[in-house]
Amino acid sequence: MRHSLDIRCLWYVALAAMLTVGCATTRTTAGGKVGVEREQTMLVSSAEVNRAAAKAYQETLREAQGKNVLNRDLRQVARVRQIAVRLIPATAVFRSDAPSWRWEVNVISSRELNAWCMPGGKVAVYTGLIEQLQLTDDELAAVMAHEIAHALREHGREKAGQAAGVSAAAAIGGALLGAYFGVDAGLGQSMVGTVGDFAFMRPNSRQMEQEADRIGVELAARGGYDPSAAVTLWEKMGRTVSGQPPQWLSTHPSHESRIADLRVYAERVQPLFVGARASP
């Protein structure tokens, strides 16, 4: 019996070693004027994530079309797509391959205050965000640039890898606890998963948001949109969203700290906005 446990544990140790070897740090984007330089650990291929994103995006569009909420207001769609046309070329500053992604930009009629950009440049903006917050073009560009920044940094791919790593660690830890100490494997997985969530996943999520904020103001500025609009956007959000949890328990920065950071970086890229507006 002890021999079989040793073999099992050796297998889990080998699995952990393979996971460690598979960890490759990479720099997905250039730093730009805002200086986002963090190296990222990726456990999942970009091709795999992009395929999944493209499939999910098409399913979302089909569902929206079935409910007759896809691109209903042609003027609103034209407005959103025109902003995207100005933002997408600016992505080359951070990634030379990004302008040639298969970009798609659509508008979904919903009261939800939401917008997102899936990996590979699949964008959706919800009418509730535009209408309820009465966004100016500069503020709408701030939202879209922020979401595009997540795609440029491949945060979705990074989070997928983190989830895979935490799951593998939970499986390994749970099995080892069960093998050596008689602890239920499910309990071990729960323990490891909870620790991973608070010690790893949540702080990184706030970091990702900050990176997207900083890259977003530079994208907006280079596209000819006032980067300080990101500040007024979040001031509007702060008046709309109540009951926000304490920052250390949240996956997003607090409104106050976010606005303070955005003020600094919007000022840093203001000359880029002035230059873009002066260009033909």
Side-chain angles (χ1 to χ4, degrees):
M1 181 68 175
R2 180 68 184 179
H3 179 67
S4 64
L5 288 178
D6 287 342
I7 291 174
R8 231 165 81 200
C9 291
L10 282 171
W11 159 246
Y12 287 116
V13 170
L15 179 59
M18 285 188 288
L19 186 63
T20 302
V21 171
C23 295
T25 58
T26 185
R27 190 164 287 165
T28 55
T29 57
K33 291 292 185 183
V34 292
V36 173
E37 301 282 3
R38 179 178 66 91
E39 290 191 345
Q40 297 158 274
T41 299
M42 300 297 191
L43 300 179
V44 183
S45 74
S46 58
E48 183 180 354
V49 171
N50 288 350
R51 279 195 300 270
K55 181 180 179 182
Y57 189 70
Q58 292 308 315
E59 288 174 356
T60 300
L61 296 186
R62 277 196 296 271
E63 183 179 344
Q65 184 120 42
K67 295 178 180 179
N68 194 31
V69 294
L70 179 65
N71 298 330
R72 287 174 57 179
D73 186 333
L74 295 183
R75 285 182 301 176
Q76 214 163 48
V77 174
R79 181 187 179 200
V80 169
R81 287 180 175 170
Q82 179 56 37
I83 291 172
V85 163
R86 287 169 58 177
L87 294 177
I88 290 169
T91 62
V93 171
F94 296 96
R95 295 184 61 133
S96 60
D97 65 321
S100 61
W101 286 355
R102 295 182 178 179
W103 292 88
E104 294 185 59
V105 181
N106 290 282
V107 177
I108 296 174
S109 295
S110 167
R111 288 188 57 78
E112 206 175 329
L113 302 179
N114 200 10
W116 39 263
C117 180
M118 285 185 178
K122 310 301 184 186
V123 180
V125 178
Y126 291 54
T127 57
L129 183 72
I130 302 171
E131 295 167 356
Q132 292 185 54
L133 298 186
Q134 297 184 332
L135 297 184
T136 65
D137 282 359
D138 291 319
E139 289 167 341
L140 182 52
V143 173
M144 294 173 63
H146 171 92
E147 298 304 328
I148 288 170
H150 279 303
L152 295 177
R153 289 287 290 163
E154 297 191 66
H155 285 152
R157 178 186 170 198
E158 187 177 10
K159 287 189 289 184
Q162 289 172 358
V166 170
S167 297
I172 294 164
L176 290 174
L177 286 170
Y180 278 110
F181 303 110
V183 176
D184 178 70
L187 176 61
Q189 291 178 18
S190 174
M191 289 164 58
V192 176
T194 300
V195 171
D197 186 39
F198 277 91
F200 182 58
M201 297 291 279
R202 287 179 185 267
N204 270 357
S205 183
R206 288 201 300 271
Q207 187 174 37
M208 291 173 187
E209 286 297 316
Q210 187 178 74
E211 290 174 351
D213 279 347
R214 293 177 180 181
I215 290 176
V217 294
E218 182 167 344
L219 281 177
R222 290 184 182 277
Y225 294 101
D226 188 349
S228 65
V231 173
T232 60
L233 165 70
W234 280 100
E235 287 173 341
K236 287 182 178 181
M237 287 291 288
R239 292 192 292 269
T240 303
V241 180
S242 60
Q244 187 183 42
Q247 180 170 345
W248 69 275
L249 280 177
S250 173
T251 57
H252 287 56
S254 70
H255 288 302
E256 294 78 11
S257 64
R258 182 171 225 156
I259 288 171
D261 192 70
L262 282 168
R263 285 188 196 280
V264 172
Y265 283 86
E267 184 176 350
R268 181 179 295 187
V269 299
Q270 192 72 18
L272 297 175
F273 165 59
V274 175
R277 290 299 294 267
S279 299

